[in-house]
Amino acid sequence: MSLWKAAQIKMSDCSRKILFLLFTGAVTLFVAGCSHDPSRVVVKELRSPPKVTSGSHRVVTGETLYSIAWSYGRDFKELARNNGIRSPYTIYPGQRINLSARKYYPLVTAKSTPPKKKPIRPSVVKPVNKPTPVSPPKQTPTAAFNGWQWPAKGKVVAAYSTRSPVNKGIDISGKLGEPVKAAANGEVVYAGSDLSGYGRLIILKHNSSYLSAYAHNKDLFVREGDSVKAGQKIAEIGSTGTTEPKLHFEIRRDGKPVDPMGFLPKR
């Protein structure tokens, strides 16, 4: 074998090795890029997913019925009713949550023969004067639920918007480590980082209609099941799930986002 041919073979082997290393390196980078902490993922337009009314969701560890309803823009009571889940709305990993908007009713397993109706003799009914109907007073946000407070002291840097870019809450500026406070009395129904793009998130249930959420937190100081008071420190401002320190704050009524500025006191 000539020296030239031997050099060509060596160069060919070397080229193959270089290509192999480049390929495996690219694969390693790709795999590393796919491994992530959900609280660190930045998702564009994370607060504008459409309402999902079909299909199903498979429960994974860390999720609650409240967080699932939140991520699909649904009312937790509706999902519970449609899936036969009773209070305190306990769900389990691997469970399928039907997202269909139609209502489900229990199946009748046995047919029953209705009793024979006895003939009813007509009776003379005296006319009764009907009372004049009185229209109920209009319900304002403050009348619907009292006691809302500002969850952070910073300025509003992004307002609630139903137009593009959609924002289902408000963004409040702040510095890392500044306190995040409960906007009203409530119960912690979710505390974690399973909702991609929200970072470390807390969801509070205030009553059967109202929920509030606090996203992008640095540290959480409450856990699911805790009762909190308005003004109580529940977290610290962070930048998880976003590019800068801030608090994303939402209020939802019966599963639908509402403008928090209509509930928070003026300052």
Side-chain angles (χ1 to χ4, degrees), residues 71-199:
S71 62
Y72 289 111
R74 302 288 296 278
D75 182 8
F76 72 92
K77 299 188 297 295
E78 179 190 17
L79 287 186
R81 182 172 60 250
N82 291 354
N83 287 274
I85 302 172
R86 296 183 179 181
S87 180
Y89 310 118
T90 303
I91 57 177
Y92 305 93
Q95 181 177 350
R96 286 283 180 183
I97 303 298
N98 196 306
L99 301 174
S100 175
R102 68 186 181 89
K103 295 181 179 180
Y104 288 84
Y105 298 94
L107 297 176
V108 179
T109 55
K111 294 183 179 180
S112 57
T113 305
K116 295 182 179 180
K117 294 182 180 180
K118 295 181 179 180
I120 300 175
R121 295 180 181 178
S123 57
V124 179
V125 180
K126 295 181 180 180
V128 178
N129 294 329
K130 295 182 179 180
T132 304
V134 179
S135 58
K138 293 183 178 179
Q139 192 178 46
T140 61
T142 53
F145 184 79
N146 294 319
W148 292 101
Q149 299 183 13
W150 281 86
K153 64 179 183 180
K155 295 181 180 179
V156 175
V157 292
Y160 173 88
S161 175
T162 56
R163 297 181 179 181
S164 183
V166 173
N167 190 358
K168 295 185 177 181
I170 58 174
D171 292 348
I172 303 174
S173 65
K175 297 179 180 179
L176 285 173
E178 287 185 341
V180 173
K181 300 180 180 180
N185 298 342
E187 176 190 354
V188 180
V189 293
Y190 178 78
S193 56
D194 297 295
L195 275 70
S196 181
Y198 279 92

